[in-house]
Amino acid sequence: MRLFWELCKLSFQRQLTYRAATLAGLATNFFFGMLRAALMAALYGARQEVAGISLAAAITFTGLTQATIGYLSLFHWYEVMNSVYTGDISSDLLKPMGYFSFWLAQDLGRAAVALLMRGLTIMLAYALVFDITLPRSRAQWLALAVTLALSWLVSFSWRFLVNLAAFWTPNARGVGRFVFGLSWFTSGFLMPLRFFPEWFQRLCNLTPFPSTINTAVEVYLGLLTDLELFRALLGQVLWAVALIGIGQLVLRAGVRRLVIQGG
Amino acid sequence: MRTALDLYRRLIGVQIRSQLQYRVSFLVDLIGQAMATGVWFLSLALILQRFESIGGWTLGEVAFLYGTVETAFGVMDLLFSGFDPSFFGQQVRRGSFDQLLLRPVNITLQVLGGEFVLRRIGRIVQGAAILAVALALTDVRWTAIKALYLPVVLGSLVCFFGGLFIIGATITFWTVESIEAVNIFTYGGSEMISYPMHIYQNWMRRFFTYIVPAIFLNYYPALFFLDKPDPFGLPPFAPFLSPVAGVGVLAVGLAFWRFGIRHYQSTGT
């Protein structure tokens, strides 16, 4: 366990040194946020509320989703496949900790920096420019903290799983691009899932993706009753457990067929 | 000129052959690419069942903007892959750009032929499909001028995005790393003009009218094709400025590129 936190700390510190990249990322995320907010306002037109979401809440939604791009590595994360392709995996497998935990620790450090430096900053910038909504009670803030942590765990678990495709195909990137594209659509990143037709929402809920973003957004906006909140959090836990379990099985199968070219 | 074209054809031919070596892999790439960009439009189409319009424009009308941008950006991304700032920045950093400079062949041609990402075809097909949806959903009153002008608009968009890519690539001469902020102009610009320009705040729209002339590339042509009134009261020839703006930005990009090469100092690697 100490090893885990040391790795996590190292990754945290390394991430902190990429200041220029953080700044550029912030500018880009914020600019796109402005575009998405304008789009949302144009969609609402004269409407006050759609599917239980007010315009202010919908604009806050665009901020929230832009703020989690870094935290959940929404656009790409191909580190495990790169280590399979370069052969770095051979030395990583020799380390005295599980391969999953090895990456989990590093991603935790990375995600923490992204949440603090990019996530919080974007929400602050949004608060300056727009009239955003905030969680209303201490319980809601607490639920938000829990759901955000679970979001990261579910997100990491599926990203890890997709990366394992590298054991079987020389073009795991193509597979990755496909799944990432699918995740924007079905996680509620592009639009709150409540805006979509019922049948589509049901389809999305068959995948783990709503547990990464849509749940966190609904908790933040206070759209859930106590019972719904409990079920949403439980759903996140179950998806995390399932994805980690499948990840372990696939990893074991993958390592068995791994051939390292001596170099 | 003949030899230049011949060389370009060879450079591209080699890449196409190599990328087609792994058929399944290429197919996965194609689908992945179409997926990554197609979902944005698909989600818009689905929620418009509830919202009906975007700033007064129907799904078909927005699809016209969206389809022209996607098709043109895909074609540009295919032709100008060599100037993709993130790819080009890597070449500058590793010093492989210096190797190109030593060869007795036009440098622009070498960069242009140096990379050709065939999977972008996925995006082009997806864009063309959206454009087809647009033309099916709106009943454009076709005239000879409209039929002739549509390819011009698409070509102008290709030039425009190509110019932005070249500017982004040239900046890496000084920054070495590709800076993510360049994405605001390329990807941000293309995202922005995928929707009607009147939905944005004034300062944003003015920036993309007078500094980066993006508004003339597809918004004004769309007003002309769809017979919509101009909400900003520009002169009646505004819809026909598309080629001026597109070729203009490409020319500025190329001029900046030549300036950059004259002052290029290499990283020493």
Side-chain angles (χ1 to χ4, degrees), chain B residues 115-147:
Chain B
E115 177 84 349
F116 197 79
V117 186
L118 209 55
R119 67 161 185 276
R120 306 280 192 242
I121 289 176
R123 188 166 191 175
I124 301 172
V125 170
Q126 175 254 141
I130 294 175
L131 195 54
V133 168
L135 297 178
L137 289 181
T138 55
D139 38 0
V140 177
R141 277 193 299 273
W142 287 102
T143 61
I145 298 177
K146 281 184 181 174

Side-chain angles (χ1 to χ4, degrees), chain B residues 15-260:
Chain B
Q15 308 212 33
I16 293 178
R17 248 174 305 158
S18 84
Q19 287 173 45
L20 287 180
Q21 279 310 303
Y22 301 93
R23 302 259 153 118
V24 179
S25 170
F26 177 68
L27 208 67
V28 170
D29 262 348
L30 263 193
I31 299 172
Q33 184 82 40
M35 179 80 185
T37 47
V39 291
W40 295 80
F41 184 76
L42 223 55
S43 84
L44 194 68
L46 282 173
I47 67 156
L48 273 180
Q49 295 186 1
R50 196 185 281 272
F51 288 94
E52 285 147 26
S53 80
I54 299 175
W57 285 40
T58 62
L59 177 64
E61 290 166 343
V62 176
F64 183 86
L65 294 174
Y66 209 101
T68 47
V69 169
E70 283 296 307
T71 311
F73 200 94
V75 172
M76 184 287 291
D77 222 358
L78 186 66
L79 297 179
F80 290 79
S81 304
F83 283 101
D84 187 332
S86 55
F87 169 77
F88 188 78
Q90 234 172 48
Q91 289 208 304
V92 170
R93 193 168 62 249
R94 292 192 184 142
S96 42
F97 180 68
D98 297 17
Q99 283 174 11
L100 298 186
L101 283 174
L102 291 174
R103 295 186 190 143
V105 181
N106 182 301
I107 184 68
T108 315
L109 185 83
Q110 288 189 68
V111 176
L112 213 52
E115 177 84 349
F116 197 79
V117 186
L118 209 55
R119 67 161 185 276
R120 306 280 192 242
I121 289 176
R123 188 166 191 175
I124 301 172
V125 170
Q126 175 254 141
I130 294 175
L131 195 54
V133 168
L135 297 178
L137 289 181
T138 55
D139 38 0
V140 177
R141 277 193 299 273
W142 287 102
T143 61
I145 298 177
K146 281 184 181 174
L148 288 174
Y149 194 45
L150 187 59
V152 175
V153 169
L154 288 171
S156 309
L157 276 163
V158 173
C159 292
F160 172 72
F161 291 132
L164 292 184
F165 255 35
I166 292 176
I167 293 171
T170 309
I171 290 174
T172 63
F173 284 153
W174 289 278
T175 60
V176 180
E177 286 285 338
S178 155
I179 45 172
E180 210 190 327
V182 171
N183 289 349
I184 292 182
F185 293 97
T186 50
Y187 297 101
S190 73
E191 170 82 3
M192 187 168 179
I193 62 176
S194 298
Y195 303 103
M197 294 295 278
H198 61 260
I199 70 172
Y200 303 112
Q201 286 165 321
N202 285 335
W203 67 267
M204 268 171 125
R205 201 189 57 249
R206 284 198 194 110
F207 183 84
F208 282 93
T209 303
Y210 298 109
I211 302 192
V212 181
I215 198 169
F216 300 109
L217 282 150
N218 70 339
Y219 180 72
Y220 269 97
L223 295 179
F224 166 66
F225 279 97
L226 304 170
D227 297 302
K228 284 180 163 294
D230 173 10
F232 309 120
L234 287 189
F237 58 82
F240 303 100
L241 290 177
S242 190
V244 180
V247 175
V249 168
L250 182 61
V252 169
L254 283 171
F256 183 49
W257 165 247
R258 274 192 293 273
F259 172 83

Side-chain angles (χ1 to χ4, degrees), chain A residues 82-170:
Chain A
N82 289 342
S83 90
V84 173
Y85 291 147
T86 56
D88 288 346
I89 184 174
S90 57
S91 58
D92 294 343
L93 283 173
L94 294 174
K95 295 203 166 85
M97 72 190 296
Y99 194 60
F100 180 83
S101 330
F102 172 71
W103 284 106
L104 186 75
Q106 295 186 64
D107 198 60
L108 181 58
R110 183 205 58 74
V113 174
L115 185 65
L116 294 172
M117 310 289 283
R118 284 172 72 168
L120 274 182
T121 320
I122 290 207
M123 288 317 284
L124 282 174
Y126 251 75
L128 289 175
V129 181
F130 300 107
D131 181 24
I132 65 167
T133 64
L134 287 172
R136 281 175 294 271
S137 65
R138 209 174 295 168
Q140 209 186 336
W141 279 108
L142 187 70
L144 179 67
V146 174
T147 188
L148 274 178
L150 288 170
S151 291
W152 164 74
L153 192 60
V154 174
S155 150
F156 176 78
S157 310
W158 80 251
R159 281 185 278 130
F160 183 80
L161 187 58
V162 168
N163 269 264
L164 295 182
F167 284 112
W168 283 270
T169 156

